[in-house]
Each structure stands twice: as C-alpha cells, then as structure tokens.
Amino acid sequence: MATATTTIARKRSALTRGQLPSYAPWAVVAAAVILAAAIMALVGFNALGWGVLSAVLFTIGLVTWSAAAEGSRKAKDKLATCLVVGSFLIAVLPLVSVVWIVLVNGLPGLVTPGFLGTSMNGISGLQDNTSVNTGSRVLGGIYHSLMGTLLITLWATVISVPIGLLTSVYLVEYGNDRALARAIRFFVDVMTGIPSIVAGLFAAALFAAISGPGTKTGFVAAVALSVLMIPVVVRSSEEMLKIVPNELREAAYALGVRKWRTILKVVIPTAISGIASGVTLAIARVIGETAPILVTAGFATKINMDVFSGWMSSLPTFIYTQILNPTSPANPGPSVQRAWAAALVLIIMVMLLNLGARLVARFFAPKTGR
Amino acid sequence: MKALSFGRSAAVAVIAAGALALSACGSDNATGTSPSAGGSAASSNLTGTLTGTGSSAQGAAIDAWKSGFTAANPKVNVQYSPDGSGAGRKAFLSGATQFAGSDAAMKPEEISQSKTLCGPDGAIDLPVYISPIAVTFKLSGVKELNLAPDTIAKMFRGQITTWNDPAIAADNPGVTLPATKITPVHRSDDSGTTQNFTDYLAKAAPSVWKDKGAQTWPSSLPGENAKGTSGVVKTVTATEGALAYADDSAVGGDLGVAKVKVGSSWVKLSADAAAKAVELSKPAAGRAANDLALDLNRTPTDPSAYPIVLVSYHVVCTTYKDQATADLVKGWEKYVLSDEGQKAAAGSAKSAPLSSSLAQKALAAVEAIKVKS
Amino acid sequence: MSSNSLTSAGASGRTGDKVFSGFALGAGALILLVLFSVATFLVVQAAPTFVANPSEVAGGEGFWKYILPLVLGTVIAAAIALLIATPVSVGVALFISHFAPRRLAQGFGYIIDLLAAIPSVVYGAWGVAFLAPAMAPGYQWLADNAGWFPLFAGPASATGKTILTAGIVLAVMVIPIVTSLSREIFLQTPKLHEEAALALGATRWEMIRMAVFPFGRPGVVSAIMLGLGRALGETMAVALVLSSGPLIASLIRSGNQTIAAEIALNFPEATGLSLSTLIAAGLVLFVITLAVNMLARWIVGRHKEFSGAN
C-alpha cells in the first residue's frame, strides 16, 4: 500500500515540478531538534518537553514548507501523516511505560524457583517476614491462580463464543432490519455497559437461587464472565461479518449453495481473522476481571481443578489481594513481588492466546488475493 | 483440506498435551516442608471444609491461623475470602459461610436475623484480633510527635494547616517543625479502621469532632484519600507533610508515628498498650451472655493504654446444624484464641495479643457451641 | 475448499437451514433473556432505595441528591478518556493499517492487542505509582498559570490523584480496544475503492478521507462504544487512582467520583439499605450506557449505506 504511493510519487517527480526535495524531512527534523533544544535551554531543559516541542516544530515546518512548494493538498497530506504518526507515538509512550514497569517489577518474582509450580497453601506472614529478614527466596506461587484463570476463562469462552457468534450470524444474515434484530443489537450495546461487579452479583444471585446460598465455584465465575464477554463477541463478530463482501454470498447462492452452508463455509471463514481477533479481545477483556470473580469464585490459596465445586483463585484476584492485603502487612515486599510477577504471567498468557488466535485465523482463513 | 484438518488436529493435540503437562506439575506444598512432620496430625479427626468471608484487616492473621490449623488438622480445608466485613456478615447470615470476620460487632437487627439460622440464641461475636491504629505522618527529620486528641482532630478537619502551628509546637518542645502544609489522607473505601478512628476522635475530642464514628469518612472534609491501608501508606510515604491513620502493621519505613495523649501522659503505640486499652473496655450493653462484643474505652486514664485500636471479631453460631460443622468451628476458634494462634497472628500480621482474661471468656463461649437438637 | 462439499444440497440442506437459523435466533433470544434477568435483578435489588425515607439513604438527602454528582463524575471521567482515546486510537489504527511498513505494522498490531489484556489493577497500580506523581507538577503549573479557567482552578492536588489523571488512565486502557477493532475495519476497506481514489490523483490523506473513513465509520463508532463501555464501567483503576471527593469543576484538584468506583469502594462494607443504594447506582450506570448507545446507534444509522452486507 505505502510502497505503491511512493513509487508513483517518485516516477512523477521526474515529470512535474513543485515537489519537496527528498532531503526535506531530514532537514526539517534537524532544524526542529536544534530549535527545540535552543528554546528548552531558555526555559529549562527536560527530555520529554524537548521531544514534544521538536515534534510540534517539525510538523509546523514541514507543513508550511510543503504548503509553499507543493500546494495545500499535499500540505494537508503531510499534516495528516504527521498527526497519525504523532498519535501513534503518544499512544505508545504510556503503553510502553506500563509494560516496562510490569517487566521490571515482575521478572524477579517470575524467575524465583517454585513460583509457577506451587500454590499459596501454607504461606503466611511468617514466611514472608523470614524471607525479608534473612534475604532467602520468596516462597509461595501462583499455580492455583494460573489454573483457576485458565479453567474459568476456558469455560467462559466455551459458553460465550457459540452464543455470541450465532447471535451475530443472526443479526447479519437473518435479522437484517427486523424489529427483533434491532432490539438485540441495541441491547447487546447496553450489555457492554453492565458494570463488571453487577455481572458478578447477578451470577452469584442466580446460582444462589439454583443451588443454595453461597454457591461459589469456578463455573459461577465463568457465567459471570460470559455476561461480560458475550456482548464483546457479538459486537466485534457482527462488524466482521458485515464487511464480508456481498459478492461472495451472491456467488455462493448462484452456485446453489444453501444459506447455512454459505455462512459456515464462505462468510465465517472470510471473516475468521477478524472474529478470532475479536474473541481474543473479548477474552482479554474478561481475563483481567477482579471484582466479579471475587464474588462468584471466592478466594482460594489451594489448588482446585474442579470448576463445579469449591472455591477457586484466579490471577487477577491473586494480584488484587496481594497488592491490597499483603500476606505480611509489615513486609509487603514479597507480596508485591508476587503480584507483579503474576501480572507479567497474565500478560504472557494473553500473548500466547493472541498467537493462538492468529494461528487459528491462518489455518481457517481462505487464501485471499492480497 | 487435508493439510488443514491435520493442522487442526495437531493444534488440538498440542493444546491437550500442554494442558496435561500443566495440570500435572503443580504442588500445594509451597513451604517445602514434608506434610508428615506435624506430630499431632495423627491424633486429629477433624475433617471437612470451613468457609468464612469478611474483614480484610484480618486477612493476614487468617493466613497465619489457616496454616497453623491445617498443619495440625491435615484433613481440614479452611477457605477465607477478604471481601469486607459487611459482605462477610451478610454471607454468614444467608447461611453461605460458617463464620464471618468482622471489624464491627453485629447490629441488633442482624442478631435477630441470625436466630433463624443459629437457633434461639442466635449468633455471637468473638473478639479475635486486636490491631492498634497509628496516627502516622511523613515529615523529613521528624519520627515522633506528641499529639493531643483535639490537635489530631483539628489537623484532620483542616483547622490546623501547617506543621509549625503553635498547637503542635506547644506539645513538642525541642522539636523543630517545618512550615510544611499538612495534607490529611484518609481511606476512600468504607472501613472498620475509619470507623474506629472516627469513633476515637468523636469521644476523645468531642468539642472539635462533631461527627459520629462511621465507616465512611465525612466527605465535607478537605484532604486526599486512597484505597485500602496499603494505598494510604503509599500515598503518605510519597507526600511530604502528609498525615494519616492506618493499621500499625503496615506503617513502617521513614514514616513518623504520633504519641497520643492519654489522661495527662503521652502514650507510645505498642501491642501491649493496645491490649491494655481493650482490657479496660466494658462489654457492650444488651448482648447475649456469650456475645463478647466490646464497647471500647476511648478515653482511658491509665498511661499504659493506647486507645486507638481496632477489635475485629469472628461471628459464629451458638448452634450448628450438624456435629461435624460444630466440631470444625469449635476446633478452629479454639486454635485462633489459643496462645499459639494469637502468637502466630502477632508474628505474621503484627497484631496485639488478646489479654488472657478475654481469651478465657471467649474460649468458654466457644465451648458452649452445640448442635441443633 | 472443494466445490462438491458446498453443493451437496438436498433435503438435508433444507433442514440444515432451518436448524441453523433456529440456533442463531435462539442465541439472540438467550441474550435478550439474560439481559432481561440482569435488569430485573438490578431493579428488585435496588427497589428499597427508591421507597426509603430520603434521610436514611447515603448522604441523608435522598437517592437522587446522592447519585447526581456521581453521574456527572462518571461522565466527566469517560468524556476525558474518550476525548483523548478516540483521535489517538483512530490515528494509531490508521498508522498500522495504512502508514507503517507492512512488517512493522503486524508487530505493532500484536502489541496493541496485548495491551488490551493487562488487568485493570495493573493500570491502576501504574497510575498511582507512576502517572499521578508525574502529573502533579503539571497540575501545579496549570493552577498557577491557567487558574482563572474553572477547569484548572487551584489549589492543585499535591499527589496528582485527580479526575484528569483517572481520565488519562482510562484513555490508556481504552486505546488498545478501540485501536484493535478500528484497525481490523480499516484493513477491510475494499482495495478497489482505495486504488480508484489513488488512481484519480488523490493524496494518501484524501484517499483515507474519501474511501477508508466512510467505509469504516459504523465500525469505528462501534469500537468507540465498546471503549466507552469499559471507561464507564471501569472500577478498580479509578478506585485506585482517584482521590475521590464531592463534585467540583476543577480537573486538577482531588475530588469527583465515578459510579463504578463508588460501588467497588463501598460494596464490601455495605449491608441492607446501603447495599441496595449501591445497586441502584449500578442501575443508573446501566441507564447512562443505554442512553449513550441510543445516540451512537442513531449516528451509525445515518451512514448505513456503506455496510458491505446491505
């Protein structure tokens, strides 16, 4: 895409006048950086201000020059490019800072032996105080939470992806503009606004009515998470199904293919990459939820692999309690270390999940011409 | 198509293998001790799962009790979720849990509600955990200050705004106080700590603190807030001139702690002084015989008592449905109230031990727990 | 994909059609049912608040007096978040889809997706530990130099834990969500439209404005709505970052509170009436989302002609 425009531009430059020389951006960068440094030297130097000022000066400089030499259309294009790249840099700064902080704080805990393989069973402030006072390694791990997160999220996905995907199929392929479809569409939007704690309370109340008060299991948590997950799945897959070109559907119908076969074999595979990314996003949205899990799955320090009975821990509840209620209030260090390491593990998990979604998309997606 | 389905089955196989490998490698033995080490293990015949929710202040102590109790009774599983005192009492009253951890004793309507669950005698409050609340501040070079109740109240109300105010200086001869602005920091979440601290101010400085003791900090007052004890301590540590109240266990580092005026002397915060203040307190009026809810004495005159304390309770039934549950609860509370249990909590959560007379009374109440006939 | 697998129609195909459309319809109906039960649950639990004596509700002046500042606080925080996140996310999505070199673009997209998964507790911890102290001097400067403007009235917060900081943290949390979806939408712009625009001599920006934006608008609005849902309902991050207080206009003083954070902070200690008050607050949040979504639907509805499936 990008290469196409530049090659076109280069060919044209031989023929037409009024083009900025190819060294223009570099020259403007150099001028902007020097000028910004000079201004910062006057008001007091700091690196961030210098960077921001340079960027602003660069944009002004390049756009003005382009406006003078190339006319307003090209100048607008340059301005848009600068803004887009600038917004990318603005977005990347805080995000990188978050990741950096998690990495720096999480790595020491992650490499502690036993962190991934053991639970928090039997760990109390005594162990933490000892490890702080004697400098021995921090005991206790996240195995129970890791398993809890995997199982709860797996069940939530198993519940919400079929429901969500089928609903979006209904909306796009069957419902069109019928009143029911409009209602579903609208209420799915409303569902995205359910505060997560309310979803948790709802699931807890539902299961309290079904199987007695205080039913806290991994499955209840999975239901609570599904309430949060379904609208995201519907919303994103609906958008993805919508942009499947109608030509494809019409071609399939013209070949005498049934509608459901067309949807399963043509429409969904075409959109699978987007759907997979939407599902990943939905999982990502709920995998970090704390409040609904606390009220539905309780808080365990032991390994529990049964989603249908007993309390379960998950990584976010683990992180939350370790940060807010350290195991040893007097020496919160080990708890904080475990919390950051657990956050790092959570991010790595989602990274693998993302990778998985991409592989799925690659396996299932039809070959495109692009 | 063939390559595709091969890819799919391969992916499924990899995931299944990964799941198997993952589920096989976990261990509940985090401390690295061999499980048969406990000598008393063989003699214990308690089994089952004991569930509780409630106070997050007790969280660290419960962790210690849990590991001690399950070491002695390996067939027992104790689970506790630090959801908060209100949520804990509510879950207990709905029958979802066998005990609740609560920073406040049950309300009268909760006691009458408990009669449907626990029989005619209802549920009782057992004091199990005493935590002194520190009045803490961040002022470089100053680690200790004498603060009278009125002064503390005025500082939190924004009536004293700088650290070199004459009211503070008068009580602290020889200390050089900077002109730094006072930034009061309080809890943003409702909490038992706030309840006990405001209760203290209302009783010890009634002329300044006109609000009643409450879980919620009066919202009209100036100042910053933060979530949870750890949040408050972090905010104070990061802000020069900050003043806050926080559970003593979390206060450390370079924070200063105030000596509080009791009678006519300045009392330094200590576990013993906190235990003493609890000992000087009367049982709350209008309670059942075995209910040990306390009416804390905020204005003692004994110079060895530190009056800003939080007493946290376990709420248990007087009668349980079946023998196994009753035995489990009895065993658990006996351990919690024992010397061993209180020491474990002190070592782990820096709490103050119960005085022996109070512990004896509580143990008697625990012994009286029986099965519904 | 072999063609005979597609054309093996017949009687089984017809039942297949019925079963499949039945399933699709059922799933949609199930969602309505779930939402209906959630709403019923909320209303039943919240009901005591509305009939209670006003003096007993938190704040002592009735529920509406209690909820109004929270509603405004929620709206302010979400508005700040979206004002920052929308242009930035659309910019980032465009950067990935149309500006960055193809190889790098995939990597960037991957990283952005990843960031959507960081738990809100971590964003909250980051906001408290890093962002708030970093913003504090800036707030001081604003209070000194732009204090005449009500939004920047002093005295500035010493800790930096203000509604503006909370809004920025929310924006950082929302950016990955909006970016990720918008990027997918932009990438699906028909190549023919783009190439036609370029062939007519449009610059890259003109091509984006004339081919990519009209095509992507409904999808981007959807993405923003998803982001808004998160911004409105976010609890932990706001609860950790914001030093809450009564409603004030200034963005750089400690004050204001959002509904979700209020629920999260007070829920653990709530019983009886105060619990149902908090649930009623949740109900109000629900209604706000409903209103905002109606607005969004209306906006999208005006640009329907660009959908591929109409």
Side-chain angles (χ1 to χ4, degrees), chain A residues 80 105 113 138 161:
Chain A
N105 290 311
V138 174
V161 168

Side-chain angles (χ1 to χ4, degrees), chain A residues 73 77 80 84 87 97 185-187 189 191 193-195 235 239 242-243 246 260-261 265 346 350-351 358, chain C residues 1 5 13 17 35 91 110 113-114 117 119 126 188 201 205-206 222 285-286 289 293-294 297 308-310:
Chain A
R73 284 181 55 219
D77 186 45
V84 165
S87 69
S97 134
R185 221 170 256 144
F186 178 72
F187 284 112
D189 284 354
M191 242 174 128
I194 297 180
R235 219 33 170 114
E239 292 303 331
K242 249 198 220 160
I243 52 183
N246 269 346
W260 70 284
R261 304 275 297 170
K265 295 283 180 186
L346 195 54
V350 178
M351 207 163 87
R358 261 148 217 269
Chain C
M1 212 166 293
S5 79
D17 247 354
L35 194 78
Y110 188 66
D113 279 358
L114 204 65
W126 171 78
Q188 302 288 347
W205 170 241
E206 285 163 344
S222 290
L285 183 56
F286 205 65
T289 323
N293 276 307
M294 279 163 95
R297 276 283 163 210
N310 60 359

Side-chain angles (χ1 to χ4, degrees), chain C residues 13-259:
Chain C
R14 206 167 300 133
T15 23
D17 247 354
K18 275 193 187 130
V19 168
F20 190 74
S21 67
F23 268 129
L25 183 64
L30 183 68
I31 290 185
L32 288 186
L33 182 74
V34 168
L35 194 78
F36 179 72
S37 20
V38 171
T40 317
F41 166 77
L42 279 176
V43 170
V44 168
Q45 297 274 313
T49 307
F50 298 107
V51 296
N53 186 347
S55 62
E56 286 170 14
V57 178
E61 293 179 68
F63 179 69
W64 302 112
K65 275 264 172 65
Y66 162 77
I67 199 73
L68 186 69
L70 297 182
V71 170
L72 292 176
T74 308
V75 171
I76 294 172
I80 295 173
L82 280 198
L83 276 180
I84 299 172
T86 306
V88 171
S89 316
V90 171
V92 175
L94 275 181
F95 179 76
I96 294 173
S97 67
H98 287 85
F99 284 81
R102 167 78 48 106
R103 281 241 180 100
L104 283 180
Q106 280 200 336
F108 288 145
Y110 188 66
I111 292 171
I112 298 275
D113 279 358
L114 204 65
L115 290 163
I118 298 180
S120 45
V121 176
V122 173
Y123 279 113
W126 171 78
V128 173
F130 176 80
L131 186 66
M135 297 296 285
Y139 293 151
Q140 191 57 52
W141 184 86
L142 275 176
D144 292 343
N145 295 289
W148 49 269
F149 191 58
L151 290 184
F152 302 124
S157 160
T159 54
K161 292 168 63 174
T162 68
I163 192 89
L164 188 56
T165 311
I168 294 173
V169 172
L170 284 180
V172 173
M173 296 175 67
V174 165
I175 286 172
I177 297 180
V178 182
T179 303
S180 179
L181 281 175
S182 314
R183 181 198 68 214
E184 289 292 333
I185 310 266
F186 289 153
L187 281 175
Q188 302 288 347
T189 312
K191 284 281 154 284
L192 281 175
H193 293 195
E194 294 182 359
E195 281 159 13
L198 291 173
L200 289 171
T203 61
R204 181 155 56 179
W205 170 241
E206 285 163 344
M207 179 273 285
I208 288 171
R209 232 185 45 204
M210 291 185 293
V212 179
F213 278 168
F215 176 83
R217 183 167 354 220
V220 172
V221 172
S222 290
I224 293 171
M225 285 304 116
L226 270 184
L228 180 64
R230 179 149 194 197
L232 285 175
E234 178 49 48
T235 47
M236 284 311 166
V238 179
L240 285 174
V241 169
L242 181 61
S243 174
S244 56
L247 180 75
I248 45 167
S250 172
L251 301 178
I252 57 167
R253 286 170 61 182
S254 61
N256 294 329
Q257 174 69 304
T258 73
I259 294 179

Side-chain angles (χ1 to χ4, degrees), chain B residues 135-147 151 155 160-165 168-169 172 175-185 233 235-244 251-258:
Chain B
V135 176
T136 179
F137 52 87
K138 170 83 187 293
L139 211 52
S140 51
V142 185
K143 288 285 282 178
E144 206 170 72
L145 277 179
N146 295 335
L147 294 177
T151 317
M155 288 161 89
I160 295 178
T161 52
T162 53
W163 283 99
N164 59 358
D165 192 276
I168 306 174
N172 295 283
V175 180
T176 34
L177 291 162
T180 317
K181 197 177 129 235
I182 298 175
T183 308
V185 181
V233 170
T235 307
V236 175
T237 312
T239 315
E240 179 71 18
L243 169 77
V251 175
D254 50 355
L255 295 185
V257 175

Side-chain angles (χ1 to χ4, degrees), chain B residues 20-97:
Chain B
L20 270 178
L22 261 176
S23 59
C25 71
S27 151
D28 261 339
N29 185 7
T31 46
T33 48
S34 68
S36 60
S40 58
S43 64
S44 159
N45 50 9
L46 289 177
T47 55
T49 299
L50 185 66
T51 306
T53 53
S55 159
S56 54
Q58 279 186 36
I62 295 254
D63 279 342
W65 291 328
K66 224 160 69 173
S67 62
F69 185 62
T70 45
N73 304 282
K75 279 175 279 180
V76 176
N77 179 24
V78 182
Q79 46 190 22
Y80 183 83
S81 170
D83 294 350
S85 306
R89 293 200 303 273
K90 193 166 154 264
F92 171 76
L93 290 174
S94 77
T97 55

Side-chain angles (χ1 to χ4, degrees), chain B residues 228-314:
Chain B
T229 300
S230 57
V232 168
V233 170
K234 251 179 238 153
T235 307
V236 175
T237 312
T239 315
E240 179 71 18
L243 169 77
Y245 58 95
D247 294 66
D248 174 54
S249 52
V251 175
D254 50 355
L255 295 185
V257 175
K259 281 181 171 179
V260 173
K261 191 168 199 177
V262 174
S264 56
S265 47
W266 301 103
V267 180
K268 192 176 172 170
L269 187 157
S270 71
D272 291 336
K276 181 78 184 170
V278 175
E279 208 179 328
L280 292 173
S281 301
K282 290 190 297 289
R287 295 274 174 161
N290 277 337
D291 189 316
L292 296 173
L294 293 168
D295 188 6
L296 288 170
N297 185 355
R298 303 296 186 189
T299 50
T301 45
D302 189 327
S304 62
Y306 180 86
I308 320 179
V309 289
L310 173 148
V311 175
S312 196
Y313 301 91
H314 277 179

